[in-house]
Amino acid sequence: TDCGVVVAMSVKQVFDLFNTDGVGIPAKDLGTVLRAAGKAPSEADIQELAAAAGDPITEDKFTAIAKDQPELVEAEVLQAFEVFDQNGNGFMPLKELCDVLKNLGEGVPDQILDQLKSVAEPDEEDQVNIRHFVDILLKTGV
């Protein structure tokens, strides 16, 4: 289907972005690259896949791995961020969003955090529209 082509292009674009030396992506970056492609692997999956794929991971291997990974589902991502909507108005403070992204799980690297801050488009009170942020996050694969 056309949908499969779009997904494959997206995975290739993400691979190309992280393939900085032209020989593949480092196995240690597999989780980051999969998540940038809109996938939701578990930590255990990442460790197992990285060990099996070799280092560096070629485009063909990465494409095969990505194809078998679950997609991030917008409703689930939205629900996860709504936990931080203390006033029930669909917004959260930019500082809190950054703290959450930096400190939960593996944490988001500062470089990506800076990109996320710019696409979050906080209002004059530094509040981020959660639905808008999730839409951008899933569409851009930041």
Side-chain angles (χ1 to χ4, degrees):
T1 67
D2 287 345
C3 184
V5 173
V6 171
V7 170
M9 285 174 36
S10 175
V11 167
K12 180 179 178 5
Q13 288 170 341
V14 170
F15 179 85
D16 290 345
L17 182 69
F18 284 88
N19 183 16
T20 55
D21 57 10
V23 297
I25 58 169
K28 68 179 179 56
D29 293 340
L30 180 61
T32 301
V33 183
L34 283 171
R35 289 183 184 105
K39 305 299 180 175
S42 70
E43 268 313 301
D45 287 345
I46 292 168
Q47 299 303 321
E48 186 178 314
L49 291 165
D55 195 7
I57 299 171
T58 64
E59 182 176 352
D60 288 343
K61 284 182 187 171
F62 178 72
T63 302
I65 290 168
K67 187 180 79 171
D68 293 335
Q69 292 301 305
E71 297 279 333
L72 285 171
V73 178
E74 182 175 2
E76 292 172 2
V77 176
L78 192 56
Q79 186 177 15
F81 279 104
E82 285 175 343
V83 168
F84 301 100
D85 176 9
Q86 296 173 343
N87 299 321
N89 62 1
F91 288 82
M92 72 183 287
L94 179 62
K95 181 185 180 330
E96 186 175 344
L97 174 64
C98 292
D99 288 347
V100 166
L101 294 173
K102 190 162 184 72
N103 296 314
L104 285 182
E106 295 174 40
V108 175
D110 288 338
Q111 177 186 356
I112 294 176
L113 198 57
D114 289 341
Q115 291 175 344
L116 290 172
K117 282 184 201 176
S118 67
V119 300
E121 300 175 0
D123 64 15
E124 61 278 353
E125 296 175 2
D126 250 9
Q127 297 287 310
V128 175
N129 180 314
I130 296 170
R131 180 172 296 281
H132 176 72
F133 178 72
V134 170
D135 284 347
I136 289 173
L137 191 65
L138 295 179
K139 285 185 177 97
T140 61
V142 172

